[in-house]
Amino acid sequence: MKPALFIHRTFVSLFCTYVLGTFAAGLTAMMTWSIAPAAGSLVASLVLSAFLLPSLLLSAWGGELADRVDKHRLLHRLKALEWGLLLIAAIGLWFHHPFTLYFLLPLLGVQTTLLVPVIQASLAQLLSSAELVRGSAWLSLGTWLALLLGLAVGCGLWNGLNEPEAYRSGAVVLASVGLLSLLTSFGITAGQIGGQPPGRGDPRVSPALGGSRRLMRSAARAPQWWLALVGIGGFYFLAICYLAIPLSAIHFSPKQFFAAPGLLLSLLLLGAMSGALLCVRFSSGRLELGLVPLGALLSGFAGVWLAGLHLPPLIETPASVLIETARPLLTSFFLIGLGGGLYLMPLHTLILLTSHEQLRARTIAVSHIVSALAIGFAAGFVAYGLHRLELRYYLLGLSAIALALGLGFMLRWSRRVLRLGVFALIHLIYRLRFRGRHHVPARGAALVICNHVSFMDALVLGGASPRPLRFLMDRPIYESPWLNWLFRLAGAIPVDSERRDPGGLRRSLEKVSDALRQGEVVMLFPEGRLTRTGETQAFRRGLDMILARDPVPVVPVGTAGLWGSWTSYRHGPALAHFPRRFRARVGVYFGEPIDPRLARRQILEWRVRSLQEEAQQWVSSPASATLERS
């Protein structure tokens, strides 16, 4: 994953501010656990309550507050509150007062509940849509890593030092990290994450419970948000249920964290972090919802595999022995986390991208309310399942839920899953260079036009586009008995020639118009047929007819490298001979959108030819044999 975002000062400050706070929260929880191990169940209940109750009661209020007041000022006040709470926790730890820590855990939960909508809404305001996938992934990766490090440092202090030294060292680390987190927040500039204009900063918001109910009803009326919220709730339900397996074996003794339970817990979190990295790698800076069902299915099948394995006694087994003797067990835990990371990241990004700027923090708050409800249900399921069921049946139940989520999202987003599969396929066949994919509008209708040299053009362009494409194709090919189901799934629009069916072209144009009016992106090849010479042919009048009916932005695309493939006419009839080359270079260059008022056939044809020539220069160049993307 490209770390280019870390040259962005405000993003670095936002990232460090939140990650350091998460580290401090994990360390506080672990040191509270260490200071009174006999009260471990009480600490566990406090930690769970510190997340659930504020999220349920105050998320709506916090989201509305973040939308109404200046985010910059609110962020600094919440970070100052956090440092004050951590300072008090450090004093309680230094003087060995566990009740001080018990009292502060819920207050830290309230502070976190109010802070999260501010951080995530600021992230969406700070980054462009193309950067948001990477930024959200980095923030999630840093959060999970900081939580794991906070728990590990707390356990390391407890295990490596005597009791007084452990308490004092923990107090110094807490106070220092809290102060450092506060200081990094001053690197966030007011101009980039400012709140509402002056005069609209009214902090009087709806009552907590009333606001939560209203937000939930609003989300239920938006199908895309509702699906994302259901998916996020399913993730947190499964995450708590899987994390409960190693956590329940620790029996609230910090010294056991570095044994088998801590290793399994770490593998789940490391798998989730790896999933976030892969999500950005596969997404290439765009929202890739096709990863959601694939991630859920991966977690589900890994859970089935885990259910068939023998789980050794976690308390008695050292981590080193587990690494040597139970690698399938470790692999299954890692794959469950990996699938979870692939599954969660696009859903979080979907909420950030599709929410209105003035309602973004409230939309984020809804996801936290759903997460809190899911965690509450998960706690009940864990209490019943781990004590009443065999571990095998407990795991099979979780796997069934993950597989059901995966299949449900696959049916709902089948075209996106297909597009992701095409994207992976063309990367195996060709060495690709994409340029300018951000020119495809993130929302709304658009036309994508391209030169036409091979039967692979539609697949390459469909895989390269950041949004699913509808495309025109000859009806005889569309009605192929073996491939018709695939073309239907891909959203192809069949078209007949005027000679075969005088009214066929008109009906096809009506379908194109319907797709554009529904806000979709339609791809077409204005030449109307494959080139026989490798040169771009004259554009036909159908393009002008489409734009006359529906004036939408036109994104020109030029491709190079496919002329000479077995799907082109260079060596005779297309598809009539075996492929002669593999992993050939193919350039796909997207140009800036052209206003429909200026989009004339001659202008568009000239622009496509220019992009094709630029792509051809890269294809023909002997230098730079590596993949480049922009």
Side-chain angles (χ1 to χ4, degrees), residues 106-118:
L107 294 181
L108 281 172
V110 171
Q111 185 268 343
T112 302
T113 297
L114 299 179
L115 179 66
V116 169
V118 181

Side-chain angles (χ1 to χ4, degrees), residues 34-36 66 89 100 147 151 185 228 237 442 480 501 614:
S34 305
I35 201 171
T100 302
L147 180 61
L151 298 175
S185 69
F237 177 89
S480 168
D501 182 1
E614 293 177 26

